[in-house]
Structure formats: C-alpha cells, structure tokens
Amino acid sequence: MKFWLTSLISVLCASAQAADIPVTIYADAGYPPYAYEKNGKPAGLYYDIVRAAVGHMQGYKVEIQPVPWKRGMALLRTGTGFALYPPYMNTKDEPWTWPYSLPLYEEHVVAVCRKDVLAAKPRKRWPEDFYGLTIGNNAGFIVGGEAFDQAVRARQLRVEEAKDSETNIVKLGLKRIDCYINDRLSIQWTLNQLKAQGKYDEGGMHASVAEAAVIAVKQGFLGFTDRDNGKYTYKNDFVKQFDNAISLMKHTGEMDAITRNFFKTH
C-alpha cells in the first residue's frame, strides 16, 4: 500500500510538472546593469527581479532569453514574442506593447556629454540647449521625449544609434558623437566597466565626460505583445500572477532586498 501511494504521488507530481506551460520572456541584451547578456546568459537587476517573480508563480516553465533591443521590440510588434523587459510605458510609439506589468524599477534618463561640448555653452535645458549637436542613442530606444523627437524631425539636432551602451560611450569618448542619452546608472556602470577593462582612457585617448541634463524619470516594466491574436491563451493569467508576485515582493521587502544585494555585488 505504501509503495502504491508513493508511486501515485510521484506520477501526480510528474504530471503536474509536465503540465507547466513553457514561456519565453525576452530581455534586452545590451543595457547593463539592468539587462544584459553575460557568457551567453541573461544578467542584470531586471533579470534578478523577473526571475524572483516567476519563482512565485504556478503553472509556467519560464525561459529568459537575451536579444538585441530592436529585435525584441520586433518580436512584440509581430506577435511572435510573448513578453520583453524592460520597456518604458509608451503606448503612443509602441502600441503593440500591452499590457504592462506593475513597475519593476525607477530609472533617471540623462544626457551625458563631452566636457569640451559643455564648456562651449551652458546646456541645462533639454533639448533646446543641445541644438546643433549629434546625440547618441541605443538602437530602438525612445527616451528623448516629444520635444526631442520634434527637434530631430526638424533637423535641429542629429541622432546616431548604436547597438548598446558600451558602443555609444566609446563613440562619445572618441568624439564621434557629442552627447549620449540613457539611464544615469547604466551610463555610469558601463563607463566604470570600460575603464576597469582598459577600454576607456578618460582624459587620455578618450574624452572626459559629464552629466549635462536630466531628461526624465521613467519606470521599467515587463511588456507583453498585443499582436498575438489570441495565440497566447494563458496571457491574462500570466499577467495576473506576475503582477501579484511583484506586489507581494514589494510588500514583503523582497524587492528592496534584491535591489540592495544587486548593487552591493556589482
């Protein structure tokens, strides 16, 4: 009897595990320290948060796969990708992304420029004080704001896109662009990594840089596709469970602990 009961429990557990729905979440591969690829695997603060959240969920076997941001957005736009982190909420320019999860973290978008560019004139007002300059941006990122986008269309300033933060910062140091816009922490973290690896000689081969202006305070989310035409039948349940997990993590202090531990070790 004991053997029969043990066997039944094993079968039931195996069946429950087999019933878990496989889900792929895509992650930005070039946005350290928040989301990036390390040795072929996802890493970053948002990875730690999302991994912890799905650990509280039932019925899903989640794989997190890093991809270039532009490709990740294309997957959501065509409905071939289920979810991607960490977009800012932007239903105007990215109507294919919906719904969004509860906010995962708050970021500060800034403009960092070469010091010789800042010495030429005061550059505090965004984007008016930056007219005539070439601004670096990560491919597919929409972070400059509406007035900035209008200035680009009016050719009052120029934008050059590169695949990730590292490429943009090196371009800034080599004077191929005048300023770079992204999250403050991401810029500083990447710059420090480049210096530690001997890839950025600030004040020597590479220009000295400094923060010029705060552009916006934004929140990062897990964004889902709205173009799947019902393909992901489990989407509503997944979104609900994920949000419940994020809410629980914030309430219990787990979210603060993840953030503290991440920045203590990076």
Side-chain angles (χ1 to χ4, degrees):
M1 183 70 173
K2 184 178 178 182
F3 173 77
W4 177 86
L5 185 60
T6 303
S7 299
L8 178 61
I9 291 171
S10 298
V11 169
L12 289 174
C13 289
S15 298
Q17 189 173 9
D20 285 353
I21 298 170
V23 174
T24 299
I25 291 175
Y26 293 99
D28 189 349
Y31 186 38
Y34 296 114
Y36 59 104
E37 186 173 359
K38 184 177 182 180
N39 300 324
K41 297 180 179 180
L45 175 61
Y46 285 122
Y47 171 68
D48 289 353
I49 292 172
V50 171
R51 182 180 57 176
V54 298
H56 290 288
M57 298 169 61
Q58 300 293 326
Y60 299 97
K61 183 180 180 182
V62 177
E63 176 192 5
I64 300 175
Q65 184 177 328
V67 293
W69 183 252
K70 212 164 184 177
R71 183 185 164 204
M73 267 293 154
L75 289 168
L76 293 193
R77 187 174 65 249
T78 58
T80 52
F82 175 62
L84 170 72
Y85 69 78
Y88 300 148
M89 189 175 289
N90 186 352
T91 55
K92 177 179 177 290
D93 297 303
E94 298 163 354
W96 51 83
T97 306
W98 189 264
Y100 292 83
S101 69
L102 291 177
L104 306 181
Y105 189 75
E106 189 171 88
E107 304 177 24
H108 292 76
V109 180
V110 301
V112 169
C113 306
R114 303 194 320 265
K115 286 186 177 179
D116 62 295
V117 171
L118 299 179
K121 61 172 281 189
R123 301 191 190 273
K124 299 294 184 184
R125 297 176 304 154
W126 179 263
E128 295 90 339
D129 291 341
F130 296 78
Y131 289 171
L133 300 181
T134 299
I135 310 297
N137 185 41
N138 285 19
F141 276 29
I142 304 174
V143 297
E146 183 57 35
F148 171 75
D149 294 338
Q150 289 176 358
V152 173
R153 289 192 292 269
R155 299 185 179 180
Q156 293 168 311
L157 48 75
R158 183 169 172 267
V159 171
E160 274 196 19
E161 290 195 336
K163 66 175 183 176
D164 54 26
S165 303
E166 180 174 321
T167 306
N168 269 306
I169 289 172
V170 171
K171 285 177 66 177
L172 183 62
L174 295 175
K175 299 187 177 183
R176 294 177 184 169
I177 54 178
D178 300 307
C179 303
Y180 171 48
I181 55 174
N182 203 345
D183 168 74
R184 174 189 286 142
L185 185 59
S186 178
I187 293 173
Q188 191 57 58
W189 190 91
T190 306
L191 181 59
N192 289 340
Q193 291 291 309
L194 288 169
K195 288 178 180 177
Q197 296 164 7
K199 296 179 180 178
Y200 198 98
D201 177 25
E202 189 168 19
M205 189 176 79
H206 297 92
S208 296
V209 300
E211 183 176 315
V214 176
I215 297 171
V217 177
K218 300 281 190 178
Q219 293 173 315
F221 297 85
L222 177 62
F224 299 85
T225 182
D226 193 35
R227 299 284 177 85
D228 58 305
N229 296 317
K231 173 183 176 183
Y232 303 112
T233 56
Y234 50 84
K235 182 164 65 176
N236 288 342
D237 177 69
F238 190 98
V239 172
K240 182 179 178 180
Q241 283 204 48
F242 187 85
D243 279 353
N244 287 342
I246 293 298
S247 182
L248 175 70
M249 290 161 60
K250 290 181 178 180
H251 179 72
T252 61
E254 183 180 357
M255 186 73 80
D256 287 339
I258 290 172
T259 304
R260 265 196 320 272
N261 291 340
F262 179 84
F263 289 118
K264 185 186 293 183
T265 56
H266 290 76

